[in-house]
Amino acid sequence: MAYRNGVALAQRGSAVKFERPNHLRTPSSPKPRFPHSPGSAVRRSTSAAARSGDGVPGRVRVSVRLRPQNTEEMMADADFADCVELQPELKRLKLRKNNWDSDTYEFDEVLTEFASQKRVYEVVAKPVVESVLDGYNGTVMAYGQTGTGKTFTLGQLGEEDTSDRGIMVRSMEDILADISPGTDSVTVSYLQLYMETLQDLLNPANDNIPIVEDPKTGDVSLSGATLVEIKDQPSFLELLRVGETHRIAANTKLNTESSRSHAILTVHVKRSVVDSEDVVSTENNDASHLTKPSKPLVRKSKLVVVDLAGSERIHKSGSEGYMLEEAKSINLSLSALGKCINALAENNSHVPFRDSKLTRLLRDSFGGTARTSLIVTIGPSPRYRGETSSTILFGQRAMKVENMLKIKEEFDYKSLSRRLEVQLDNLIAENERQQKTFEEEVGRLNLEAQCRISEVERKFADALEKERLKCQMEYMESVKQLEQKLVSNEKRHGSNYFVDGCGEGPTPSSEDEVSEIRKLFENECNRRKAAEAEVEHLKILLGKNTHTQAGGDAEVIKVHSILEDEVNQKKKLEEEIIILRSQLLQLNFEAEQMKRCLGSERSVNASSAMDSSMSQVRHSQLKDTGNGQKASVATLFEQVGLQKILSLLDSDDPLVQIHAVKMVANLAAEEVNQKGIVEAGGLSSLLMLLRRYEDETVRRVAAGAIANLAMHEANQELIMAEGGITLLSMTASDAEEPQTLRMVAGAIANLCGNDKILMKLRSQGGIKALLGVVRCGHPDVLSQVARGIANFAKCESRASSQGIKSGTSFLIEDGALPWIVHNANNEAAPIRRHIELALCHMAQQEVNAKDMINGGALWELVRISRDCTREDIRNLARRTLTSILPFKSELRRLRIDV
């Protein structure tokens, strides 16, 4: 069966009427539309259309579309047969030379004048669009004579009838429907090539866009073109409307609105894809639960839709003047494109891409890496048989061009970073949940353990009470004997004793030694009285001799020497008396300790009635002991005098000095005595002992006395003025004994609580000296260090809030922060409490926030705000975390609630 334009020929006498689409009608023609003819062509799936042909996936696919006759052609060619005959089921086209001869051509698709726009899109462009969504570059181009329907095929907007939508609109619909708005993006540029000049249709002021070629890859880019991101179809339609208003067109004999430029729409698609995860196999070839992490990739592809200006012959189009120059430029660029396609079809070594800007832009489309689909449009009129033949031959040559398709993927580091951040946040949240579960389980186990311990303690107490009652009668006789012995000891020993102010324990003594020392003390007193009487007698004699000359100068000198000897002897006797009094009080204290030991034995073995009586005895003993200690110190102070005790600090006898500094330390422990000690020069004497003595006992007791004096604010400035902090720092660096270091640290800690001496204390090395004593590791020493740091942080925070001080904390500058963070959760309650308070005061200064976050103090502040036993410190930490901006930002980033 013969076909004429794809439809079976009717008998000569019958008339066949066709409705023509409005894109090809002349001004005088009505508004016909393309009828949808189900039998006009055999439908194929888009996948088959994408891979059909001669088995070469990268070959340029060429389709031919026939334009219907317009009104003018119906009238002019009524007596002539159409020069084109279509055989769509065979994908063939016959071009008649005359009534008896014709040439036959085969194409990838043959579309009749009744083919719908949807059919054209599915056959020509949809396989290319699918390839673009898979990561390949794609090109859809229309070529043909002026007035054959190229712009209608590609750029029709379909505002009046959606079925008339062209390839540009339908392509964007499929692209937007397939991408993910959250991870993918689509950007569009719209240009025209007019008179060998690239102009931006979206920004007419940009009328000379350069073409940039990558010297390594040969890829072409237009760096100056306007790129618009597309989110929805209406915005894309508006973009096409703007572009069409700026495109150059003119009225010719062949077309009322002939495009005088090549329009180039470029759609850039960026998609995020993830490789499939690889399963790690075990030795037994069993799939493991471990998988390699997937790789995030970015596929960048572009779809280029090219609406070429129509080729025309000057004598038929009637172009004159400037339109003539436009026609020449169009024909030159199309001629350059034809030369390139001929060279590629014949596999020539040189392809003249640089002869025209159009060929440079289409370098990737012909002979490159893009999937290209070309639609050639022709008309049925025999008057334009030459133009139709030229167009068909162009399409035939293009079918011989093969491209090397290549997917373009890049590693998506930003996506991987975002995914890892999400995983990290999930792991942190999971860790917090597990930690909370663990803490709840530990709390439950602790509660069960406490219940069991309470039960065991109760049972043990019952058993112990039974055992005590059982043994009570057995030990009654032993208790009576101990009571008799205790009564005899109380008769022989006094109850007064002297307690060493520095905490040294007593040593055992016998009754004979006590009696002997008492006798020596009485003898010394008698000798002192005799010496005083002798001195008075000598003074009387000296007075008498002043009125006589019998003795002469020799006797006067002798008397003076005797007096000096007596004075020295008196001084030594006084020192010995003080020492003997101290030893006597010490022995009394030892005797009391013996009585307490006997009392403790009695309390263990006595019955219930005896327990009550002995507790009353012990209470009276303790009361007498305390009263005895105070009475002994007061008595010694009254008998000897403060000035005399301070003068003994300079004695040459080490034993005398030790006893003297101990007495000063005991006196300094009472606030009522501190003012007198300072006014009498006791502070200077104690500092002098620290400076020149290496004896550990003297330094320890002197440091303790200075620590007692440093508790009074008035004495703190005097200590600093006389170089006390320097001497304490030297002692801290030299001493090794824990008790000495505890005294030194306590003195510095007291000084740290004075706002007025804060700067001077730090400049003279007080903070570094305080941190230096932590090498000892003794809990008592560390407790004093923590107290000093807390006092310093509190004063520094107050000075910062008042505007007296600015800048980073001195504690951070001197390197105290690591030690503070390390001991913030110390097992010892005094250390932990002081460190928690110091952290809260340091955190109140916003300038310290960055160093504290980097040093790990933020986590300790969070713990303090939740778990601190003291409510005031817990509230202070919570208020600081919610008011200081850097802490709030970091907690928000870590997703931690306070």
Side-chain angles (χ1 to χ4, degrees):
M1 180 180 295
Y3 281 79
R4 182 182 180 184
N5 298 334
V7 180
L9 289 175
Q11 294 181 354
R12 262 203 182 291
S14 62
V16 181
K17 296 184 180 180
F18 300 101
E19 290 186 352
R20 289 163 175 75
N22 52 8
H23 74 290
L24 298 177
R25 68 180 183 273
T26 61
S28 60
S29 62
K31 293 184 178 179
R33 301 178 182 273
F34 274 160
H36 292 237
S37 176
S40 62
V42 179
R43 298 295 180 99
R44 293 177 175 84
S45 66
T46 56
S47 61
R51 295 170 177 78
S52 63
D54 53 2
V56 181
R59 181 177 62 79
V60 176
R61 288 180 49 81
V62 181
S63 303
V64 62
R65 185 182 192 186
L66 178 64
R67 173 181 60 79
Q69 285 183 330
N70 54 34
T71 305
E72 180 184 356
E73 290 173 344
M74 287 183 178
M75 295 174 61
D77 301 333
D79 298 329
F80 302 95
D82 292 344
C83 66
V84 178
E85 180 181 341
L86 303 182
Q87 295 178 340
E89 70 280 359
L90 300 177
K91 297 182 181 179
R92 289 179 182 174
L93 178 148
K94 286 185 179 182
L95 181 62
R96 298 178 182 277
K97 293 181 180 180
N98 46 49
N99 291 334
W100 57 87
D101 192 13
S102 63
D103 294 328
T104 303
Y105 304 95
E106 292 186 358
F107 290 92
D108 293 301
E109 288 292 341
V110 174
L111 302 168
T112 70
E113 65 269 38
F114 304 107
S116 65
Q117 291 282 72
K118 180 178 180 182
R119 166 67 176 162
V120 173
Y121 169 72
E122 290 179 348
V123 170
V124 176
K126 190 167 185 177
V128 179
V129 174
E130 291 177 347
S131 297
V132 170
L133 292 173
D134 289 337
Y136 298 93
N137 288 343
T139 301
V140 178
M141 187 171 67
Y143 179 89
Q145 182 189 4
T146 298
T148 54
K150 298 185 297 300
T151 303
F152 177 82
T153 301
L154 295 182
Q156 185 69 12
L157 299 183
E159 293 177 322
E160 297 179 0
D161 188 353
T162 56
S163 63
D164 288 343
R165 291 171 298 166
I167 289 177
M168 291 182 181
V169 179
R170 295 177 185 270
S171 299
M172 185 56 67
E173 285 181 350
D174 284 354
I175 291 174
L176 293 176
D178 192 74
I179 66 170
S180 299
T183 58
D184 304 340
S185 64
V186 178
T187 55
V188 172
S189 65
Y190 200 12
L191 311 173
Q192 70 174 356
L193 180 60
Y194 175 69
M195 299 287 287
E196 285 300 303
T197 302
L198 271 176
Q199 300 176 356
D200 197 335
L201 292 176
L202 304 179
N203 183 14
N206 191 7
D207 58 357
N208 191 11
I209 300 173
I211 300 176
V212 181
E213 294 185 16
D214 191 335
K216 295 182 179 180
T217 62
D219 292 340
V220 176
S221 60
L222 305 173
S223 57
T226 302
L227 285 175
V228 179
E229 186 172 1
I230 301 300
K231 296 293 186 182
D232 50 29
Q233 191 70 7
S235 62
F236 178 68
L237 292 175
E238 182 62 27
L239 180 144
L240 291 181
R241 291 191 197 99
V242 173
E244 286 299 322
T245 58
H246 295 143
R247 190 176 178 186
I248 298 174
N251 185 9
T252 67
K253 292 181 179 180
L254 300 177
N255 193 359
T256 57
E257 292 184 3
S258 175
S259 300
R260 313 309 290 170
S261 64
H262 307 297
I264 304 162
L265 176 72
T266 306
V267 181
H268 299 270
V269 180
K270 181 180 178 182
R271 307 197 68 183
S272 298
V273 296
V274 179
D275 282 356
S276 58
E277 298 180 346
D278 299 331
V279 180
V280 180
S281 300
T282 60
E283 296 180 356
N284 299 328
N285 294 326
D286 295 333
S288 173
H289 66 283
L290 298 176
T291 59
K292 293 183 180 179
S294 56
K295 298 179 181 178
L297 300 175
V298 173
R299 289 180 179 173
K300 295 181 179 180
S301 57
K302 63 181 179 180
L303 171 65
V304 180
V305 183
V306 183
D307 181 11
L308 294 176
S311 62
E312 59 185 44
R313 292 184 181 180
I314 305 302
H315 67 279
K316 291 186 178 182
S317 64
S319 299
E320 297 178 353
Y322 196 74
M323 290 177 58
L324 179 60
E325 297 299 324
E326 292 175 345
K328 290 180 181 180
S329 176
I330 293 171
N331 290 337
L332 284 175
S333 61
L334 293 177
S335 176
L337 178 61
K339 290 178 182 180
C340 292
I341 291 177
N342 288 338
L344 290 169
E346 297 173 2
N347 292 325
N348 290 346
S349 59
H350 173 67
V351 181
F353 283 114
R354 291 189 169 274
D355 288 356
S356 171
K357 287 189 176 181
L358 177 62
T359 54
R360 292 177 65 189
L361 288 172
L362 298 178
R363 186 169 187 172
D364 190 48
S365 302
F366 294 96
T369 60
R371 182 184 295 278
T372 302
S373 182
L374 172 66
I375 180 169
V376 294
T377 58
I378 59 177
S381 176
R383 289 182 296 165
Y384 305 108
R385 184 187 180 284
E387 288 79 355
T388 303
S389 176
S390 176
T391 302
I392 291 173
L393 292 176
F394 180 88
Q396 290 289 301
R397 290 193 298 271
M399 290 180 66
K400 299 179 181 180
V401 178
E402 297 180 5
N403 294 343
M404 299 296 294
L405 303 185
K406 180 180 179 181
I407 195 169
K408 295 185 177 182
E409 292 181 343
E410 297 177 1
F411 193 82
D412 190 1
Y413 292 97
K414 293 183 179 179
S415 175
L416 179 60
S417 175
R418 289 194 299 268
R419 190 177 69 179
L420 292 178
E421 287 180 358
V422 172
Q423 290 180 358
L424 178 60
D425 293 340
N426 292 336
L427 289 175
I428 291 175
E430 180 64 24
N431 182 47
E432 291 179 351
R433 287 193 293 270
Q434 292 180 358
Q435 184 177 1
K436 183 178 180 181
T437 303
F438 174 75
E439 291 175 354
E440 292 176 353
E441 183 67 17
V442 170
R444 185 183 64 79
L445 294 176
N446 286 337
L447 183 61
E448 292 180 358
Q450 290 176 1
C451 294
R452 294 180 181 178
I453 291 173
S454 300
E455 182 66 20
V456 171
E457 287 179 349
R458 186 183 61 78
K459 293 181 179 179
F460 178 76
D462 295 341
L464 185 62
E465 180 66 19
K466 293 179 181 179
E467 187 68 20
R468 190 183 67 81
L469 294 175
K470 179 180 178 181
C471 296
Q472 181 176 357
M473 300 304 297
E474 298 178 359
Y475 289 98
M476 186 62 69
E477 294 297 327
S478 298
V479 171
K480 290 181 180 179
Q481 294 177 3
L482 290 173
E483 288 178 353
Q484 294 174 359
K485 187 175 181 180
L486 179 60
V487 172
S488 62
N489 287 334
E490 288 179 350
K491 292 179 180 179
R492 287 181 293 176
H493 296 284
S495 60
N496 295 330
Y497 65 98
F498 176 73
V499 179
D500 190 351
C502 297
E504 295 182 346
T507 58
S509 176
S510 63
E511 296 179 0
D512 295 336
E513 291 177 350
V514 174
S515 300
E516 184 178 354
I517 291 174
R518 284 181 175 176
K519 290 179 181 180
L520 291 174
F521 177 71
E522 292 175 357
N523 292 335
E524 292 296 335
C525 291
N526 294 331
R527 290 175 61 187
R528 179 182 178 185
K529 292 179 180 179
E532 291 177 351
E534 185 67 22
V535 169
E536 292 295 330
H537 177 68
L538 290 174
K539 286 181 179 180
I540 294 172
L541 292 177
L542 180 61
K544 292 179 180 180
N545 291 332
T546 54
H547 301 285
T548 63
Q549 299 294 330
D553 293 337
E555 187 174 355
V556 172
I557 294 172
K558 182 177 180 181
V559 170
H560 277 292
S561 63
I562 292 172
L563 286 174
E564 290 178 355
D565 293 339
E566 289 295 334
V567 170
N568 292 333
Q569 186 177 6
K570 180 181 178 182
K571 185 176 180 180
K572 291 182 180 180
L573 288 173
E574 289 176 351
E575 293 176 355
E576 291 178 359
I577 288 171
I578 292 173
I579 293 172
L580 289 173
R581 285 177 177 176
S582 300
Q583 292 177 350
L584 178 62
L585 293 175
Q586 184 71 23
L587 291 172
N588 289 335
F589 175 73
E590 293 169 359
E592 283 297 327
Q593 292 290 354
M594 292 177 62
K595 289 192 293 182
R596 291 176 65 185
C597 292
L598 292 173
S600 62
E601 292 178 2
R602 178 169 175 260
S603 65
V604 172
N605 301 314
S607 63
S608 300
M610 294 303 296
D611 285 345
S612 175
S613 62
M614 286 305 297
S615 64
Q616 296 176 359
V617 172
R618 282 197 300 272
H619 178 71
S620 62
Q621 287 176 349
L622 290 174
K623 183 176 180 181
D624 293 340
T625 299
N627 295 334
Q629 179 183 2
K630 293 182 180 179
S632 299
V633 176
T635 302
L636 187 62
F637 178 71
E638 292 173 358
Q639 291 178 355
V640 180
L642 177 61
Q643 195 64 41
K644 183 64 177 177
I645 295 174
L646 294 178
S647 66
L648 295 179
L649 295 175
D650 299 328
S651 176
D652 296 332
D653 189 347
L655 186 61
V656 174
Q657 281 188 333
I658 291 174
H659 284 283
V661 74
K662 287 182 179 180
M663 284 187 284
V664 173
N666 286 330
L667 291 172
E670 299 292 336
E671 187 175 355
V672 295
N673 302 327
Q674 291 182 0
K675 183 177 180 181
I677 292 173
V678 174
E679 291 177 352
L683 177 60
S684 302
S685 300
L686 292 171
L687 294 174
M688 187 64 67
L689 290 177
L690 282 183
R691 180 182 290 110
R692 68 183 184 181
Y693 268 85
E694 298 181 356
D695 184 83
E696 192 71 26
T697 303
V698 174
R699 291 200 299 180
R700 180 179 70 253
V701 181
I706 294 173
N708 290 335
L709 294 176
M711 296 176 64
H712 198 278
E713 184 176 356
N715 299 333
Q716 292 173 355
E717 297 183 9
L718 292 175
I719 294 174
M720 294 296 299
E722 297 188 19
I725 192 63
T726 304
L727 295 175
L728 290 170
S729 300
M730 294 172 56
T731 306
S733 62
D734 296 339
E736 297 294 338
E737 203 268 328
Q739 291 301 323
T740 303
L741 294 175
R742 181 175 68 86
M743 298 296 181
V744 172
I748 298 176
N750 291 336
L751 295 174
C752 287
N754 192 331
D755 297 344
K756 301 177 182 179
I757 61 175
L758 195 67
M759 302 292 185
K760 191 173 182 181
L761 175 69
R762 189 258 179 173
S763 63
Q764 294 184 4
I767 299 301
K768 292 185 177 180
L770 195 63
L771 295 175
V773 303
V774 301
R775 68 181 186 277
C776 173
H778 195 279
D780 293 341
V781 178
L782 298 183
S783 178
Q784 295 298 328
V785 173
R787 183 172 68 88
I789 289 177
N791 289 341
F792 191 91
K794 183 178 181 179
C795 293
E796 193 176 39
S797 176
R798 187 161 52 241
S800 178
S801 63
Q802 295 173 357
I804 301 175
K805 178 190 175 297
S806 61
T808 309
S809 171
F810 291 145
L811 294 172
I812 296 178
E813 292 182 358
D814 289 347
L817 185 59
W819 186 85
I820 293 174
V821 174
H822 180 72
N823 290 272
N825 199 14
N826 197 291
E827 295 180 356
I831 300 174
R832 183 177 63 254
R833 184 177 67 254
H834 289 308
I835 293 298
E836 290 175 345
L837 189 60
L839 277 174
C840 293
H841 286 302
M842 290 173 65
Q844 288 182 322
Q845 307 173 48
E846 186 171 345
V847 71
N848 299 332
K850 182 177 180 181
D851 293 315
M852 296 184 71
I853 292 172
N854 295 334
L858 177 61
W859 298 106
E860 296 301 332
L861 287 172
V862 173
R863 179 192 59 78
I864 293 170
S865 67
R866 296 175 177 177
D867 303 333
C868 183
T869 55
R870 285 184 51 175
E871 184 178 0
D872 56 339
I873 299 178
R874 188 168 62 250
N875 293 336
L876 179 60
R878 186 180 297 110
R879 186 168 61 252
T880 302
L881 290 174
T882 55
S883 61
I884 302 301
L885 183 59
F887 291 140
K888 292 171 60 180
S889 301
E890 186 67 13
L891 292 175
R892 191 182 303 111
R893 188 183 71 83
L894 298 174
R895 299 182 180 179
I896 297 176
D897 296 329
V898 179

